[in-house]
Amino acid sequence: MPLKLIKSNNNETNVYGPDFSSTGAYHIDAPFLEGNGNYTIRAEVTAINSIQPENPIVDEFRLRTVV
């Protein structure tokens, strides 16, 4: 799934999606820095059908913003 980074002036991060009505992207709304900002986005499955997985299910994505 694609990620869409949305620069916001808020001091918090909001994640929503996937947006199946258009691209299927997950949207990340955060105060991203302009220029060369380096970010790590961590996705974790915390429950499947209200049951926590025995082993952590985690992935990290390293992103860099460029103007």
Side-chain angles (χ1 to χ4, degrees), residues 8-52:
S8 142
N9 292 325
N10 297 330
N11 193 22
E12 62 183 41
T13 300
N14 294 307
V15 179
Y16 54 96
D19 180 4
F20 290 120
S21 65
S22 60
T23 62
Y26 283 90
H27 302 267
I28 302 168
D29 183 5
F32 293 109
L33 297 175
E34 292 185 24
N36 294 324
N38 294 309
Y39 297 93
T40 300
I41 295 178
R42 183 172 194 243
E44 179 176 2
V45 175
T46 57
I48 302 169
N49 293 329
S50 301
I51 301 170
Q52 291 182 335

